[in-house]
Amino acid sequence: MRADLSPVTGKHPAHVFRPLSDLLSGWEANGIDTTIFRAGVDIAGHRYAGYGLARMLPLERVLVGCASSRAGAFGGFHHPDQGYRHLQMVAVITLYGLMGRRIPEPPAPLVLLDLLRAYAHDCLHYGSRRRYVEVAGVPVRTQYGINYRRTSGQAYSAADKRGSHHTRNIGIVMEGACDKEARFITRQAAEHFAVTEPSDGLGALAFRDVTGTLTEADTGRMVDVPQCEEQTRYAAALLGYEKGVNRRYAHFLEEFAPGEEYECHTRLLAAIISGDVMKLGAWLDERHGPGTFPGLFRTPGYFEPCLTA
């Protein structure tokens, strides 16, 4: 399963995929500067070690869509059908921008920043505690970070209502925590190398997205790119993710850790890596009373006898 990666790239038959390790070495052999990305990975490694992550996602386990034969193909963090695949232990991502290009091509700073955000994000998914059981010869994941699922498919927490501004779904909280951290790292790299915001509308929006600086005005507008339908869809996916994940996570922190948002965020990440909710649960109980964690997230009818096993 982990040797044959064709199932995870098969949804993108027009795209050319290369391991991130090969892509970077190819760029560097051609004199292309990848310092922004490399420096960001160093920042991520130091921060993640503090949360208990002993090893970063190997670069050779990251498949990067870096070219495409499909007219108008547009890549980036919000490209459909990509992300970390836990059973195969591989991340599938695409380079930001139009993909009809030769390899290698010097990437713009925004391309490297988007690549850094995706890699930093997927490293946290890679490092999240997972537990599997075998059902009829098939591995079934019953724990991911601090989220749980029965072998029957019953999830620990219910999906949020459509259009909700807050969240009571632990999957959204975990996703938001991972992306908040990845965007913080990307913003640090952008500031250190004095990367400026692109002048084009979608580029400016993407820059604010990868650095976590989108405004309320950004999330309320529609972006139409007449010359490329895929770019319009990309912008819509970007704004949908911001409202559906990142804003909901921000509201969660404001709601349950006012004035202590960063402390709660770091405790969440440590719990996601270890898979142990006890310390986080005790911290929440001190502020909101006994049983806060299951009271917030556990859907009625779900029973988990041991959250720390």
Side-chain angles (χ1 to χ4, degrees), residues 146 160 167-179 245 248-249 252-253 268 272 297:
I146 51 176
D160 295 324
T167 185
R168 295 294 182 269
N169 182 277
I170 191 62
I172 294 293
V173 168
M174 287 174 49
E175 178 73 3
C178 291
D179 203 48
V245 175
R248 288 183 186 179
Y249 179 60
F252 170 80
L253 293 177
L268 270 163
I272 289 167
F297 299 117

Side-chain angles (χ1 to χ4, degrees), residues 23-69:
L23 186 66
L24 291 170
S25 62
W27 278 339
E28 291 160 354
N30 282 272
I32 298 170
D33 189 359
T34 63
T35 305
I36 295 174
F37 179 84
R38 298 284 193 185
V41 171
D42 287 342
I43 294 170
H46 288 300
R47 286 183 64 87
Y48 293 179
Y51 302 132
L53 182 60
R55 187 185 183 207
M56 299 284 278
L57 173 61
L59 296 177
E60 61 271 17
R61 300 300 295 179
V62 181
L63 301 181
V64 183
C66 46
S68 181
S69 60

